[in-house]
Amino acid sequence: QWLDGNQDGTAECYYFDASGYMLAGTTTPDGYTVNEGGAWTENGEVQTMQTGQPAAETGIPSWTVGNLQVKQTGDFANAVTLTGDNMVQMITPDGTRSAVVTLTDITSYPDYQEAAKTWQAMGLDIHSPEVNQLYQAVLVEIVKAQLGEPAGVSEYSCPTGTWTRLEYGNVMQLSVNVYLDVLLKYENGSYYGVTLTGAAPNNIEGFMNDCIG
């Protein structure tokens, strides 16, 4: 769980068991190392996440989803924005474009914890790029099962990493024809998803470079 205890705009990640007790100075059941203060570390370095700055400081409204900053700029500069638990949705004033950014933390899922134990027993680093790619492939198949086969699947690289892009093209949603694109990324126990819909082809590069950081 990401917590910013001193409200300095930087959060650290902690592990709490089913009874609510914080683990410290050990390895968590899902394979993460936490220091004596309970913070997640990699190679002895505390991992942090920026929790975002108020619009008055940045000039651009922004929201945090995991380790992503979702910014209301570019095509969505004047968007209506809805936020929820690890979710941000932006809709342009004319209603012709929508962007949804989500995060699903699966580290507490029993299936994930069992898989993590299997990787460790095999001597594999569960946070390695290779294992991340395996989990990302699983995520792609889950989305295909829900939305059907896309017109195209490709890798999309941007400052926030390498995503898998599922291009659905022109599809029917709620009795309206829209262009649909889904971008997915798995990273150390979290699934990130970006869903873009529009009345015309989506500006993928513009959104991923301008609105996601």
Side-chain angles (χ1 to χ4, degrees), residues 2-186:
W2 291 99
L3 298 173
D4 180 10
N6 59 3
Q7 299 295 305
D8 64 350
T10 301
E12 293 77 33
C13 193
Y14 302 86
Y15 186 98
F16 296 87
D17 65 17
S19 301
Y21 290 101
M22 183 187 75
L23 300 189
T26 186
T27 299
T28 64
D30 51 349
Y32 293 84
T33 299
V34 290
N35 64 14
E36 296 301 323
W40 167 34
T41 64
E42 290 284 348
N43 299 318
E45 201 171 307
V46 174
Q47 303 300 294
T48 60
M49 176 183 73
Q50 297 304 307
T51 57
Q53 295 177 297
E57 293 183 23
T58 64
I60 299 174
S62 65
W63 295 265
T64 299
V65 177
N67 62 11
L68 299 179
Q69 285 292 111
V70 183
K71 293 168 284 187
Q72 190 175 304
T73 186
D75 292 344
F76 292 89
N78 299 308
V80 175
T81 301
L82 309 173
T83 62
D85 187 21
N86 288 322
M87 183 278 293
V88 172
Q89 179 178 17
M90 297 189 292
I91 306 168
T92 56
D94 60 7
T96 60
R97 290 189 181 279
S98 171
V100 182
V101 182
T102 58
L103 164 68
T104 303
D105 183 350
I106 65 169
T107 54
S108 61
Y109 291 13
D111 287 350
Y112 175 85
Q113 293 182 355
E114 287 302 314
K117 291 177 183 176
T118 301
W119 294 126
Q120 289 176 313
M122 296 171 62
L124 296 174
D125 178 1
I126 64 172
H127 308 311
S128 67
E130 293 77 17
V131 173
N132 279 358
Q133 288 175 2
L134 290 173
Y135 275 109
Q136 188 151 326
V138 171
L139 176 60
V140 168
E141 294 306 314
I142 291 172
V143 173
K144 285 182 179 180
Q146 294 174 339
L147 299 179
E149 280 292 327
V153 178
S154 59
E155 283 193 349
Y156 181 83
S157 295
C158 59
T160 56
T162 299
W163 299 67
T164 299
R165 178 186 178 189
L166 284 73
E167 303 172 67
Y168 281 91
N170 200 343
V171 299
M172 184 73 72
Q173 279 196 342
L174 300 176
S175 301
V176 177
N177 275 314
V178 297
Y179 288 85
L180 172 64
D181 284 278
V182 179
L183 291 98
L184 309 165
K185 182 176 71 164
Y186 171 84

